[in-house]
Amino acid sequence: MLLNKYIDHTILKPTTTLDNIRQLCMEAVEYDFAAVCIPPPFVKLAKTFVGNTNTKVATVTGFPFGYSAIEAKVAETVLAIIDEADELDMVANLLAIRNGDWEYLEKEIATIMPIIRNKGKVIKVIIESGILLEEEIIRCCGLYTKYQVDFVKTSTGYAEKGATVAAVKLMRANLPANIQIKASGGIRTFEFAKELIDAGATRLGCSGSVELMKASV
Protein backbone atom coordinates (compact mmCIF):
# COMPACT_ATOMS: atom_id res chain seq x y z
CA MET A 1 0.00 0.00 0.00
CA LEU A 2 1.30 3.46 -0.94
CA LEU A 3 0.62 5.15 2.38
CA ASN A 4 2.25 8.51 1.68
CA LYS A 5 -0.65 10.15 -0.18
CA TYR A 6 -2.97 9.45 2.75
CA ILE A 7 -0.83 11.33 5.24
CA ASP A 8 -1.10 14.83 6.66
CA HIS A 9 2.34 15.09 8.31
CA THR A 10 1.44 16.92 11.50
CA ILE A 11 2.90 19.00 14.29
CA LEU A 12 0.55 21.13 16.38
CA LYS A 13 2.33 21.36 19.72
CA PRO A 14 2.36 24.82 21.36
CA THR A 15 6.14 24.41 21.74
CA THR A 16 6.72 24.00 17.99
CA THR A 17 9.86 25.73 16.70
CA LEU A 18 10.89 27.04 13.28
CA ASP A 19 13.34 24.16 13.02
CA ASN A 20 10.51 21.70 13.70
CA ILE A 21 8.52 23.21 10.83
CA ARG A 22 11.49 23.13 8.49
CA GLN A 23 12.15 19.47 9.26
CA LEU A 24 8.46 18.56 8.95
CA CYS A 25 8.22 20.18 5.54
CA MET A 26 11.45 18.62 4.30
CA GLU A 27 10.20 15.19 5.34
CA ALA A 28 6.82 15.82 3.73
CA VAL A 29 8.43 16.76 0.43
CA GLU A 30 10.85 13.82 0.59
CA TYR A 31 8.05 11.31 1.15
CA ASP A 32 5.51 13.15 -1.02
CA PHE A 33 2.94 13.36 1.75
CA ALA A 34 -0.48 14.82 0.95
CA ALA A 35 -0.01 17.76 3.30
CA VAL A 36 1.68 19.20 6.33
CA CYS A 37 -0.64 20.28 9.15
CA ILE A 38 0.85 23.04 11.28
CA PRO A 39 -0.04 25.86 13.69
CA PRO A 40 -1.43 28.99 11.97
CA PRO A 41 1.58 31.28 12.62
CA PHE A 42 3.80 29.00 10.50
CA VAL A 43 1.67 28.83 7.35
CA LYS A 44 3.62 31.43 5.35
CA LEU A 45 6.92 29.80 6.28
CA ALA A 46 5.69 26.31 5.44
CA LYS A 47 4.55 27.50 2.01
CA THR A 48 8.12 28.57 1.24
CA PHE A 49 9.49 25.23 2.46
CA VAL A 50 7.16 23.03 0.40
CA GLY A 51 7.45 25.33 -2.61
CA ASN A 52 5.90 24.08 -5.83
CA THR A 53 5.73 20.45 -4.74
CA ASN A 54 2.57 18.34 -4.49
CA THR A 55 2.48 18.70 -0.69
CA LYS A 56 -0.27 21.02 0.52
CA VAL A 57 -0.18 23.24 3.60
CA ALA A 58 -2.99 22.70 6.11
CA THR A 59 -3.62 24.57 9.32
CA VAL A 60 -6.19 24.54 12.12
CA THR A 61 -8.96 26.88 13.27
CA GLY A 62 -10.87 26.78 16.52
CA PHE A 63 -8.15 24.44 17.76
CA PRO A 64 -8.15 22.37 19.91
CA PHE A 65 -11.45 22.73 21.79
CA GLY A 66 -13.74 24.24 19.17
CA TYR A 67 -15.55 26.63 21.48
CA SER A 68 -14.19 29.91 20.15
CA ALA A 69 -16.87 32.25 18.80
CA ILE A 70 -17.99 32.01 15.20
CA GLU A 71 -16.51 35.47 14.61
CA ALA A 72 -13.15 34.23 15.89
CA LYS A 73 -13.26 31.23 13.57
CA VAL A 74 -14.10 33.52 10.67
CA ALA A 75 -11.08 35.69 11.50
CA GLU A 76 -8.81 32.64 11.77
CA THR A 77 -10.13 31.32 8.47
CA VAL A 78 -9.56 34.61 6.66
CA LEU A 79 -6.04 34.97 8.06
CA ALA A 80 -5.15 31.41 7.07
CA ILE A 81 -6.38 32.08 3.55
CA ILE A 82 -4.40 35.34 3.36
CA ASP A 83 -1.32 33.35 4.39
CA GLU A 84 -2.12 30.93 1.52
CA ALA A 85 -3.11 27.83 3.46
CA ASP A 86 -4.52 25.21 1.09
CA GLU A 87 -6.60 23.29 3.63
CA LEU A 88 -8.25 24.24 6.93
CA ASP A 89 -8.99 21.75 9.71
CA MET A 90 -11.74 23.43 11.77
CA VAL A 91 -12.83 22.12 15.15
CA ALA A 92 -16.61 22.15 15.41
CA ASN A 93 -18.05 23.68 18.56
CA LEU A 94 -17.90 20.62 20.79
CA LEU A 95 -19.87 22.32 23.56
CA ALA A 96 -22.71 22.84 21.11
CA ILE A 97 -22.59 19.20 19.99
CA ARG A 98 -22.67 17.87 23.55
CA ASN A 99 -25.49 20.24 24.48
CA GLY A 100 -27.53 19.45 21.40
CA ASP A 101 -27.40 23.01 20.06
CA TRP A 102 -27.64 22.06 16.39
CA GLU A 103 -28.96 25.50 15.46
CA TYR A 104 -25.66 27.04 16.59
CA LEU A 105 -23.63 24.40 14.75
CA GLU A 106 -25.59 25.04 11.57
CA LYS A 107 -25.00 28.78 11.89
CA GLU A 108 -21.29 28.13 12.41
CA ILE A 109 -20.77 26.01 9.29
CA ALA A 110 -23.15 28.14 7.20
CA THR A 111 -21.01 31.19 8.03
CA ILE A 112 -17.68 29.51 7.29
CA MET A 113 -18.48 27.61 4.10
CA PRO A 114 -18.97 30.59 1.74
CA ILE A 115 -15.51 31.89 2.70
CA ILE A 116 -13.96 28.49 2.02
CA ARG A 117 -15.73 27.98 -1.29
CA ASN A 118 -15.15 31.53 -2.52
CA LYS A 119 -11.40 30.97 -2.21
CA GLY A 120 -11.34 27.38 -3.43
CA LYS A 121 -9.94 25.96 -0.21
CA VAL A 122 -10.47 22.56 1.41
CA ILE A 123 -12.22 22.27 4.78
CA LYS A 124 -12.01 19.36 7.20
CA VAL A 125 -14.46 19.59 10.12
CA ILE A 126 -13.19 17.96 13.31
CA ILE A 127 -15.94 16.47 15.45
CA GLU A 128 -13.85 14.71 18.15
CA SER A 129 -15.58 11.37 17.65
CA GLY A 130 -13.87 9.76 20.64
CA ILE A 131 -15.94 11.80 23.09
CA LEU A 132 -19.25 11.67 21.21
CA LEU A 133 -22.19 9.29 21.32
CA GLU A 134 -23.00 7.36 18.14
CA GLU A 135 -26.14 9.40 17.60
CA GLU A 136 -24.12 12.63 17.89
CA ILE A 137 -21.64 11.41 15.28
CA ILE A 138 -24.50 10.46 12.95
CA ARG A 139 -26.15 13.85 13.39
CA CYS A 140 -22.85 15.61 12.68
CA CYS A 141 -22.52 13.61 9.48
CA GLY A 142 -25.97 14.75 8.44
CA LEU A 143 -25.26 18.40 9.17
CA TYR A 144 -21.92 18.52 7.39
CA THR A 145 -23.33 16.60 4.44
CA LYS A 146 -25.92 19.35 4.05
CA TYR A 147 -23.13 21.91 3.72
CA GLN A 148 -20.94 19.68 1.54
CA VAL A 149 -17.72 19.95 3.50
CA ASP A 150 -14.70 18.22 1.98
CA PHE A 151 -13.82 16.02 4.96
CA VAL A 152 -15.20 15.09 8.34
CA LYS A 153 -12.29 14.44 10.68
CA THR A 154 -12.36 12.16 13.72
CA SER A 155 -10.15 13.94 16.23
CA THR A 156 -7.81 16.75 17.21
CA GLY A 157 -5.39 14.39 18.92
CA TYR A 158 -5.91 16.31 22.16
CA ALA A 159 -8.89 14.41 23.56
CA GLU A 160 -8.53 11.30 25.69
CA LYS A 161 -9.52 9.12 22.74
CA GLY A 162 -8.42 9.53 19.13
CA ALA A 163 -9.33 7.76 15.92
CA THR A 164 -11.00 4.35 16.01
CA VAL A 165 -11.95 1.94 13.26
CA ALA A 166 -15.51 1.87 14.62
CA ALA A 167 -15.87 5.65 14.36
CA VAL A 168 -14.53 5.71 10.80
CA LYS A 169 -16.93 2.94 9.78
CA LEU A 170 -19.85 4.78 11.39
CA MET A 171 -18.92 8.01 9.63
CA ARG A 172 -18.48 6.27 6.29
CA ALA A 173 -21.91 4.69 6.63
CA ASN A 174 -23.48 8.10 7.24
CA LEU A 175 -21.61 10.28 4.75
CA PRO A 176 -22.02 10.39 0.97
CA ALA A 177 -19.14 9.10 -1.13
CA ASN A 178 -18.02 12.60 -2.11
CA ILE A 179 -17.29 13.60 1.51
CA GLN A 180 -14.02 12.16 2.68
CA ILE A 181 -12.88 11.11 6.14
CA LYS A 182 -9.71 12.11 7.91
CA ALA A 183 -8.68 9.91 10.83
CA SER A 184 -6.26 11.36 13.36
CA GLY A 185 -5.13 10.81 16.91
CA GLY A 186 -3.07 7.85 18.07
CA ILE A 187 -2.07 6.46 14.65
CA ARG A 188 1.31 4.95 15.48
CA THR A 189 1.51 1.67 13.56
CA PHE A 190 1.19 0.71 9.91
CA GLU A 191 -1.33 -1.97 10.83
CA PHE A 192 -3.66 0.55 12.50
CA ALA A 193 -3.24 2.99 9.63
CA LYS A 194 -4.24 0.28 7.16
CA GLU A 195 -7.28 -0.68 9.27
CA LEU A 196 -8.46 2.94 9.23
CA ILE A 197 -7.99 3.19 5.46
CA ASP A 198 -9.82 -0.11 4.94
CA ALA A 199 -12.67 1.29 7.08
CA GLY A 200 -13.00 4.32 4.82
CA ALA A 201 -10.44 6.95 5.83
CA THR A 202 -8.80 8.78 2.93
CA ARG A 203 -6.49 10.96 5.03
CA LEU A 204 -4.51 10.21 8.17
CA GLY A 205 -3.26 12.88 10.55
CA CYS A 206 0.06 11.60 11.92
CA SER A 207 3.02 13.02 13.79
CA GLY A 208 5.02 9.80 13.41
CA SER A 209 4.54 9.66 9.64
CA VAL A 210 8.15 8.81 8.74
CA GLU A 211 8.11 5.80 11.06
CA LEU A 212 4.84 4.66 9.46
CA MET A 213 6.41 4.90 6.03
CA LYS A 214 9.42 2.87 7.08
CA ALA A 215 7.13 0.23 8.59
CA SER A 216 5.09 0.02 5.37
CA VAL A 217 8.07 -1.00 3.23
Side-chain angles (χ1 to χ4, degrees), residues 12 38-40 59-78 80 88-95 104 108 112 123-128 153 155-156 158:
L12 292 168
I38 56 171
T59 193
V60 290
T61 59
F63 195 84
F65 301 119
Y67 50 42
S68 48
I70 294 172
E71 294 82 358
K73 289 182 180 177
V74 167
E76 288 183 275
T77 300
V78 170
L88 292 93
D89 291 32
M90 184 194 82
V91 187
N93 191 307
L94 305 174
L95 293 179
Y104 181 94
E108 178 178 80
I112 297 292
I123 184 167
K124 311 182 194 101
V125 180
I126 309 170
I127 64 170
E128 207 68 273
K153 178 177 170 182
S155 327
T156 61
Y158 278 77

Side-chain angles (χ1 to χ4, degrees), residues 87-154:
E87 303 180 354
L88 292 93
D89 291 32
M90 184 194 82
V91 187
N93 191 307
L94 305 174
L95 293 179
I97 296 174
R98 292 317 317 271
N99 285 281
D101 193 348
W102 299 99
E103 183 178 345
Y104 181 94
L105 288 158
E106 181 149 11
K107 181 181 178 183
E108 178 178 80
I109 194 62
T111 303
I112 297 292
M113 283 305 294
I115 303 170
I116 297 292
R117 290 293 173 248
N118 185 48
K119 297 299 183 180
K121 303 300 182 180
V122 168
I123 184 167
K124 311 182 194 101
V125 180
I126 309 170
I127 64 170
E128 207 68 273
S129 59
I131 62 172
L132 301 184
L133 302 173
E134 281 194 8
E135 53 263 39
E136 291 168 332
I137 294 172
I138 292 169
R139 187 137 184 197
C140 283
C141 289
L143 173 62
Y144 298 118
T145 293
K146 178 180 177 181
Y147 286 90
Q148 288 296 292
V149 303
D150 298 291
F151 288 79
V152 180
K153 178 177 170 182
T154 63

Side-chain angles (χ1 to χ4, degrees), residues 26-88:
M26 289 174 62
E27 291 170 346
V29 170
E30 177 184 354
Y31 286 94
D32 195 24
F33 290 141
V36 292
C37 189
I38 56 171
F42 294 117
V43 169
K44 281 186 179 180
L45 184 66
K47 289 293 286 188
T48 67
F49 287 150
V50 301
N52 293 319
T53 66
N54 294 324
T55 299
K56 304 298 185 184
V57 173
T59 193
V60 290
T61 59
F63 195 84
F65 301 119
Y67 50 42
S68 48
I70 294 172
E71 294 82 358
K73 289 182 180 177
V74 167
E76 288 183 275
T77 300
V78 170
L79 288 171
I81 290 171
I82 289 171
D83 288 345
E84 300 186 344
D86 301 297
E87 303 180 354
L88 292 93

